[in-house]
Amino acid sequence: MSESSTVQSLQLLTASGLEAFARHLGGWVLLGHIPEAGGEWSYRTGAVTSSKSVRAVRNATGELEAMIDIGWTVFVVKKAQTNTTFAQTVLVGRSSTNDVVLAHSSVSKLHARIQLSRDCLVLSDAGSSNGTIVNGDQLRAGEGATLASGDLLRFGSVALQLFSPDVLWSILTRYT
């Protein structure tokens, strides 16, 4: 999957079923919007007002499960084929040598690391200038936070939401 994919392109894949959808993704995903240069962006306010295509997705009991915009960019959390350094670590940052590239001035060249394992994902800040935040809690450099589907992550001014393939598939099949 290319890093320029959008939620709309993923939504079209849901008809193929969960197994094919997950295979196509190849890993967990971060969904979000790279803010325009010069503007501060907040997940709670900017995402809701940045596009008329933002939709609330609720679970069976009516609780809010996610806010999704079909125009958001999809970043797959997996090693780039060109980056074989640290096999179980996904590098996140502004530099094109990272596995997940967030092209924004508030993001450090190497901003954070995500450790991959069968059991969980662990995010740690790599000593970034503008910080890494998980669900509102700022990480100290080198401190790890275990991630779960639905977590809100912030790298500098770039806010993203993390989803496992099965949770994202479930949400997109209910997205209207």
Side-chain angles (χ1 to χ4, degrees):
M1 160 160 284
S2 76
E3 70 180 52
S4 62
S5 296
T6 63
V7 172
Q8 185 173 28
S9 64
L10 286 183
Q11 190 178 23
L12 299 173
L13 295 170
T14 60
S16 61
L18 173 58
E19 190 174 315
F21 180 79
R23 188 172 43 252
H24 178 80
L25 284 180
W28 287 58
V29 296
L30 292 164
L31 302 181
H33 166 74
I34 303 293
E36 296 294 322
E40 190 64 21
W41 188 84
S42 166
Y43 179 83
R44 298 196 185 281
T45 58
V48 176
T49 60
S50 68
S51 171
K52 293 181 180 177
S53 59
V54 173
R55 300 283 189 272
V57 180
R58 300 188 181 278
N59 63 21
T61 62
E63 296 173 76
L64 181 65
E65 192 169 355
M67 296 294 290
I68 301 287
D69 181 327
I70 61 172
W72 279 349
T73 303
V74 176
F75 300 94
V76 179
V77 181
K78 69 178 185 178
K79 292 298 292 180
Q81 292 179 356
T82 58
N83 185 358
T84 57
T85 309
F86 308 111
Q88 296 303 313
T89 304
V90 172
L91 304 177
V92 179
R94 189 179 70 239
S95 171
S96 63
T97 60
N98 290 304
D99 302 302
V100 175
V101 178
L102 304 176
H104 191 269
S105 61
S106 69
V107 176
S108 295
K109 289 179 185 177
L110 173 58
H111 198 99
R113 297 176 183 92
I114 301 174
Q115 291 291 128
L116 305 173
S117 75
R118 285 187 182 264
D119 300 330
C120 64
L121 301 177
V122 177
L123 174 68
S124 60
D125 185 89
S128 67
S129 299
N130 294 314
T132 302
I133 297 173
V134 178
N135 297 324
D137 297 325
Q138 184 153 0
L139 299 178
R140 285 180 247 124
E143 175 186 17
T146 301
L147 301 176
S149 195
D151 282 350
L152 301 175
L153 311 179
R154 189 174 186 93
F155 305 94
S157 296
V158 177
L160 303 170
Q161 190 164 15
L162 178 73
F163 292 101
S164 64
D166 57 329
V167 170
L168 182 59
W169 181 83
S170 174
I171 288 169
L172 291 178
T173 58
R174 291 180 278 125
Y175 178 88
T176 57

